[in-house]
Amino acid sequence: AQSVTQPDIHITVSEGASLELRCNYSYGATPYLFWYVQSPGQGLQLLLKYFSGDTLVQGIKGFEAEFKRSQSSFNLRKPSVHWSDAAEYFCAARPPRSDSWGKLQFGAGTQVVVTP
Amino acid sequence: DVKVTQSSRYLVKRTGEKVFLECVQDMDHENMFWYRQDPGLGLRLIYFSYDVKMKEKGDIPEGYSVSREKKERFSLILESASTNQTSMYLCASSIGFRDVAGENYGYTFGSGTRLTVV
């Protein structure tokens, strides 16, 4: 069955430190991959996406993600975290354009807490 | 910018009531989706619609129905609200199946409706 897994439910990081959020997927073919961020009380905002090509993807707010086919992973990174990065982060995937009607499947989310 | 607007941020309803959650998008998107979000479970798809009057069940449709009479509006209906439907409800839209690779930029989400059923 197709799935998206975020192994870390909760991560605490100090302001200024680096951040890496893990995402693993299980799909028959390489899916399209997305990272979203949800600030408290808000909807989800798209950070970045991967469809094909360069495996290092740059996004908004200083985030990047690296696609690794051999590990079925799409990990999100930020070199230096700001207090405003405290939020919940969701990895999502959809099958390549064929039969999915564009539906995204979401991981369970990773809550990021930033300490002073 | 695409905007997806959910009519209510917070809603409190009584058990057994019929509840309507409204969602409107302004960018002529074909696809619209309703998800519910619960702690530890992420986002789960309730229903989606790929065209006016067209709808498909998602992963957890029980207890819900939807209506899409106009392209820009997608309504989620709780026929008889129950306490286990207390949740955050998120609406999203996207361009449709006709997209080619690289042109589907993912969903645009509304701000969510936090529904409490008492």
Side-chain angles (χ1 to χ4, degrees):
Chain A
Q2 299 170 340
S3 66
V4 177
T5 303
Q6 293 179 245
D8 303 305
I9 297 172
H10 188 276
I11 285 180
T12 299
V13 60
S14 299
E15 191 168 13
S18 64
L19 174 68
E20 182 167 12
L21 304 181
R22 296 184 290 165
C23 174
N24 295 101
Y25 64 88
S26 176
Y27 277 75
T30 299
Y32 298 163
L33 295 157
F34 305 80
W35 274 101
Y36 285 84
V37 60
Q38 184 181 33
S39 298
Q42 300 297 316
L44 278 68
Q45 181 184 19
L46 179 66
L47 284 175
L48 48 76
K49 59 191 181 294
Y50 173 78
F51 294 146
S52 64
D54 193 347
T55 57
L56 189 62
V57 180
Q58 301 298 319
I60 63 171
K61 302 178 185 284
F63 285 91
E64 67 179 23
E66 185 172 13
F67 169 69
K68 291 186 177 180
R69 186 190 308 274
S70 61
Q71 298 178 18
S72 298
S73 69
F74 187 57
N75 294 348
L76 182 72
R77 300 194 293 251
K78 185 167 185 178
S80 178
V81 167
H82 187 261
W83 64 266
S84 60
D85 293 321
E88 190 157 21
Y89 292 80
F90 292 93
C91 182
R94 58 159 281 194
R97 61 175 300 272
S98 57
D99 60 352
S100 68
W101 296 107
K103 290 184 293 180
L104 288 180
Q105 184 170 15
F106 288 84
T110 298
Q111 185 71 47
V112 173
V113 172
V114 180
T115 59
Chain B
D1 279 355
V2 176
K3 282 192 69 175
V4 177
T5 303
Q6 294 183 232
S7 54
S8 304
R9 290 298 302 274
Y10 299 94
L11 215 49
V12 180
K13 296 293 182 181
R14 295 193 180 279
T15 301
E17 275 193 78
K18 190 169 186 176
V19 181
F20 293 85
L21 302 183
E22 304 289 344
C23 176
V24 176
Q25 50 95 3
D26 66 359
M27 281 298 288
D28 202 36
H29 280 176
E30 286 84 1
N31 289 357
M32 295 188 76
F33 307 84
W34 276 106
Y35 284 84
R36 65 177 280 177
Q37 180 182 12
D38 300 288
L41 297 178
L43 280 71
R44 294 178 292 168
L45 181 63
I46 304 171
Y47 267 97
F48 72 101
S49 168
Y50 52 90
D51 202 349
V52 175
K53 297 189 186 294
M54 306 303 288
K55 59 188 180 185
E56 291 285 338
K57 292 179 180 179
D59 300 319
I60 52 164
E62 296 78 19
Y64 303 95
S65 62
V66 290
S67 171
R68 193 164 181 203
E69 298 295 319
K70 293 185 178 181
K71 192 174 186 179
E72 66 272 18
R73 185 180 297 271
F74 191 36
S75 302
L76 180 69
I77 304 158
L78 286 66
E79 297 291 343
S80 178
S82 65
T83 55
N84 63 12
Q85 293 179 308
T86 291
S87 185
M88 169 71 94
Y89 290 88
L90 291 166
C91 175
S93 72
S94 78
I95 61 176
F97 184 64
R98 61 177 169 75
D99 69 277
V100 297
E103 291 186 8
N104 183 330
Y105 293 103
Y107 295 176
T108 300
F109 281 90
S111 297
T113 296
R114 185 165 293 282
L115 173 67
T116 302
V117 183
V118 298

